[in-house]
Amino acid sequence: MAAEADGALKRLLVPILLPEKCYDQLFVQWDLLHVPCLKILLSKGLGLGIVAGSLLVKLPQVFKILGAKSAEGLSLQSVMLELVALTGTMVYSITNNFPFSSWGEALFLMLQTITICFLVMHYRGQTVKGAEDLPKSRLHGSWVLSDLGKPDDVELLQAATNYHNGHTGQLSAITVFLLFGGSLARIFTSIQETGDPLMAGTFVVSSLCNGLIAAQLLFYWNAKPPHKQKKAQ
């Protein structure tokens, strides 16, 4: 029974979360304080957790837009640039053979961002234009390969929109705080799994900018968009 349980545990952890040598170090030799292997386990676990969480992270934003039938307060330029940046991150990571656990959320975030981008344009009365422009934005993903799409520009455009409006409109607090937490965790996983300073630096800047938007959400928490008055006939 013990051998069967050990075999099952090994199949679960190797190679998804641990290389075989680390499995032996931790669970055969019972060296549970082996720091290098613990870092690998933590990094892989965080990475896969981020990827799994990305399946749902932007759905609160989608539902908030649908529920309000409005995308007021969302920067279309920011959403479009984020779509291009996510495409660039995917291509860069695949080209460099980075493990899926270090970038996989970009795929699922991209699909959800496409939905948000379409909804923003739809509620601005540009449904047809949105359907035409979205494929073009994805085709330009190669434009961001040199700097991963400048994620600071993405969030700063949204931050500037919030400041100009004096409120955050239909921006989802759940989505913003999840993205902030995810970008913080990605700093560690990028260093651990890729060793790429560009990837790690990208998430450092992204964390700072996501933190700025999270702070704006708290600052403008009780601020409401002004009601638009209908023009007299």
Side-chain angles (χ1 to χ4, degrees), residues 90-103:
M90 286 177 53
V91 176
Y92 181 84
S93 300
I94 293 171
T95 302
N96 286 278
N97 294 316
F98 293 152
F100 183 74
S101 60
S102 71
W103 62 267

Side-chain angles (χ1 to χ4, degrees), residues 50 178-188 203-204 206-208 210-211:
I50 292 170
L178 286 175
L179 288 173
F180 178 45
S183 60
L184 285 174
R186 269 291 174 227
I187 298 172
F188 170 72
F203 286 112
V204 169
S206 180
S207 296
L208 292 172
N210 278 321

Side-chain angles (χ1 to χ4, degrees), residues 81 84-86 88-89 143-154:
L81 185 56
V84 178
L86 288 168
T89 299
W143 173 77
V144 299
L145 289 181
S146 61
D147 53 10
L148 298 188
K150 297 182 179 179
D152 50 327
D153 290 347
V154 176

Side-chain angles (χ1 to χ4, degrees), residues 20-213:
E20 187 167 359
K21 63 179 181 180
C22 276
Y23 176 85
D24 292 341
Q25 188 77 36
L26 294 174
F27 298 103
V28 176
Q29 300 178 30
W30 291 105
D31 184 6
L32 299 179
L33 297 179
H34 191 270
V35 175
C37 288
L38 288 176
K39 283 184 177 180
I40 293 174
L41 180 61
L42 177 60
S43 178
K44 287 287 187 180
L46 276 175
L48 292 174
I50 292 170
V51 173
S54 70
L55 291 167
L56 304 173
V57 71
K58 289 204 170 190
L59 290 186
Q61 182 66 77
V62 172
F63 293 146
K64 189 167 185 178
I65 295 173
L66 291 172
K69 298 189 186 313
S70 168
E72 185 173 4
L74 273 74
S75 167
L76 178 60
Q77 293 86 351
S78 174
V79 177
M80 292 285 284
L81 185 56
E82 182 180 9
L83 179 57
V84 178
L86 288 168
T87 304
T89 299
M90 286 177 53
V91 176
Y92 181 84
S93 300
I94 293 171
T95 302
N96 286 278
N97 294 316
F98 293 152
F100 183 74
S101 60
S102 71
W103 62 267
E105 75 276 8
L107 171 62
F108 303 114
L109 289 176
M110 182 187 71
L111 297 175
Q112 294 167 75
T113 302
I114 290 173
T115 303
I116 292 171
C117 192
F118 179 79
L119 288 173
V120 171
M121 300 193 79
H122 172 70
Y123 286 115
R124 291 185 178 184
Q126 300 175 326
T127 306
V128 175
K129 187 174 185 299
E132 293 175 347
D133 287 352
L134 281 175
K136 296 177 185 177
S137 69
R138 292 183 64 192
L139 289 175
H140 285 88
S142 59
W143 173 77
V144 299
L145 289 181
S146 61
D147 53 10
L148 298 188
K150 297 182 179 179
D152 50 327
D153 290 347
V154 176
E155 282 88 6
L156 288 177
L157 277 171
Q158 181 62 58
T161 299
N162 295 339
Y163 177 77
H164 179 266
N165 291 341
H167 61 79
T168 56
Q170 301 306 321
L171 201 61
S172 168
I174 297 174
T175 293
V176 169
F177 284 110
L178 286 175
L179 288 173
F180 178 45
S183 60
L184 285 174
R186 269 291 174 227
I187 298 172
F188 170 72
T189 63
S190 296
I191 294 171
Q192 183 67 33
E193 294 198 54
T194 71
D196 189 316
L198 179 58
M199 285 285 283
T202 295
F203 286 112
V204 169
V205 175
S206 180
S207 296
L208 292 172
C209 294
N210 278 321
L212 173 60
I213 295 177

Side-chain angles (χ1 to χ4, degrees), residues 165-169 216-226:
N165 291 341
H167 61 79
T168 56
Q216 286 183 318
L217 268 167
L218 295 174
F219 184 78
Y220 294 123
W221 191 264
N222 294 317
K224 302 296 181 184

